[in-house]
Amino acid sequence: MSVSESVHWAGLLQGIVDDLAHERGQGHVATYIPPLANVDPNKLGIALALPSGQVFFAGDAAERFSIQSISKLFTLTLALPLDSEGLWKRVGREPSGSRFNSLVQLESERGIPRNPFINAGALVVTDVILDHLDDAKLSVLDLVRRLSGSNDIAYDLAVAQGEQATGDRNKAMAWFIRSFGNLRNSPDAVLDAYFHHCALSMSCIELAKAGVFLANGGLDAQGRRVMSLQQSKYVNALMLTCGTYDAAGEFAYRVGLAAKSGVGGGILAVLPGRFSVCVWSPGLGPTGNSLLGMKALTLLTERSGSSMF
Ligand code: GLN
C-alpha cells in the first residue's frame, strides 16, 4: 500500500462529507423504534477499511449508532459455518422485491423467507443460531468485538426494549413462520435475540473494520479466518442482490457494491478484493435505506472509479 493511496482515500472521504454537508438532514429518521426517533438527523460519517488494516474516515465516523439490520450480516456470518445445508433448506437466496418487514410472500411461500437479509429470513437465521450456540446474544457480541477490535461494543438496551414494546409486526412474523414449522425455538426467544442483535451500537469505523473480511476472501485484517473464500463469495452475492431490500437493483446500478443497510441509517458495503466502507446518515428514503448514505457511496464509487462493475 503506497502512501499516495492513503492520501487518496482520506481526501476522497473528506471531499464526500464536505460536498454533502448542505444536504444533511434529508429523509426521515425511523420512528417506529422509539429511541431511534431521537437521533440527530444531521449526522454524516464515513469510514473505509483496507485488508491491510488501514482505516480512513471523515465526518461523524467515530460516533456509535444503532446498526439495526446490518446485524443480519453478522448473524448470517455466525450461522453459515454452523449449519449452511440446513439453513438453505429454510431460507431462500432470492431478492424479495418487497419491504424489509413484509409478510405477504410468507403466506404463498409456506413460511420460507426469500433471503436471510429481510426480517423474516433473519428470524430463521437467529433460530439456527439459538439451536447451535449456548448464548446467541453473547456470540454475536463476541463476533463484532473481535472483528472490529473494540471490546466495549454493547447492546443498547433502550433500543432493544423499545423494539420489544412496539415490534408487533416482527412478532406476527415470527409466529406466522412458526405456524409453517420453520422456527424450532419459541418465537419469544427468537425475537428477544433478534431485537438485541439489531440494537448493537457501533460506529462507521468499527463496522468498516468488522466487514473487511468480506473484502479479503474471508480473512480479517489480522489474517484470522472468519469464513471460507467460497462463503465470502456467497455472502457478498447475497448483499448485492438482497442487502438493500427492494432498492437492491437501484443500489447495484448506482453504487455497484455489495451492501447491507439498516434503519438506523447505516450502510456497510464491500468491494471484494479491495475494501469495506461504512456510511451513516440517519434520514431514510422510502425503501428504508439511508438517503444520504446511498448518495455518499455513489460519489465514492464514481470518484474512485472502483466498483464491482
Ligand atoms: N429492527 C428492525 C426491524 O426489525 C430492523 C429493520 C432494518 O434495519 N431494516 O424492523
Side-chain angles (χ1 to χ4, degrees):
M1 185 55 49
S2 67
V3 173
S4 60
E5 178 154 3
S6 309
V7 174
H8 166 69
W9 282 122
L12 195 135
L13 297 184
Q14 190 59 53
I16 291 170
V17 168
D18 292 346
D19 291 350
L20 291 176
H22 66 289
E23 297 192 48
R24 286 178 187 233
Q26 270 188 13
H28 298 281
V29 172
T31 51
Y32 74 99
I33 302 171
L36 297 187
N38 304 324
V39 176
D40 178 356
N42 295 309
K43 296 288 179 184
L44 175 61
I46 186 163
L48 183 141
L50 301 178
S52 63
Q54 280 181 290
V55 182
F56 309 95
F57 53 90
D60 302 307
E63 193 169 320
R64 287 182 173 158
F65 59 94
S66 190
I67 78 166
Q68 291 298 318
S69 283
I70 300 174
S71 65
K72 294 176 168 76
L73 186 58
F74 300 116
T75 49
L76 181 66
T77 297
L78 272 185
L80 271 184
L82 292 173
D83 184 15
S84 66
E85 209 179 308
L87 176 72
W88 296 128
K89 291 193 179 110
R90 299 172 58 192
V91 183
R93 297 193 290 260
E94 295 296 344
S96 69
S98 304
R99 275 189 71 74
F100 62 88
N101 57 4
S102 172
L103 284 138
V104 287
Q105 283 162 345
L106 281 174
E107 169 78 344
S108 56
E109 298 178 2
R110 305 209 51 77
I112 308 289
R114 274 288 174 100
N115 66 68
F117 290 152
I118 51 174
N119 289 11
L123 289 169
V124 176
V125 171
T126 303
D127 190 54
V128 169
I129 294 176
L130 284 169
D131 266 349
H132 287 84
L133 301 174
D134 293 338
D135 189 332
K137 290 184 215 167
L138 196 60
S139 299
V140 174
L141 197 56
D142 280 348
L143 177 71
V144 294
R145 284 177 172 174
R146 182 160 46 87
L147 292 177
S148 64
S150 296
N151 288 326
D152 62 344
I153 290 172
Y155 291 118
D156 184 330
L157 297 180
V159 173
Q161 282 152 15
E163 192 166 13
Q164 179 64 255
T166 57
D168 294 341
R169 178 171 275 267
N170 283 324
K171 292 177 193 167
M173 198 176 285
W175 285 95
F176 198 38
I177 297 170
R178 167 101 175 163
S179 78
F180 290 102
N182 201 14
L183 279 193
R184 298 187 181 144
N185 295 276
S186 81
D188 288 340
V190 173
L191 288 159
D192 178 57
Y194 171 81
F195 290 146
H196 277 80
H197 297 157
C198 289
L200 277 168
S201 276
M202 294 172 70
S203 68
C204 289
I205 294 173
E206 289 164 340
L207 279 163
K209 285 184 181 176
V212 84
F213 74 92
L214 290 167
N216 195 29
L219 297 173
D220 71 10
Q222 278 71 46
R224 298 171 296 196
R225 186 154 293 287
V226 182
M227 59 174 54
S228 68
L229 175 65
Q230 188 81 311
Q231 284 168 334
S232 72
K233 178 184 101 176
Y234 295 153
V235 174
N236 279 314
L238 288 164
M239 287 168 76
L240 179 71
T241 53
C242 312
T244 49
Y245 317 115
D246 46 337
E250 183 69 8
F251 195 91
Y253 179 86
R254 279 175 49 189
V255 177
L257 299 175
K260 184 73 211 82
S261 63
V263 293
I267 306 176
L268 175 55
V270 176
L271 180 56
R274 290 287 306 284
F275 58 76
S276 59
V277 56
C278 181
V279 62
W280 172 50
S281 168
L284 307 178
T287 54
N289 297 298
S290 169
L291 262 187
L292 219 52
M294 194 153 158
K295 282 192 189 172
L297 292 175
T298 304
L299 291 178
L300 179 97
T301 53
E302 284 176 4
R303 291 179 181 180
S304 66
S306 47
S307 85
M308 289 170 96
F309 307 106

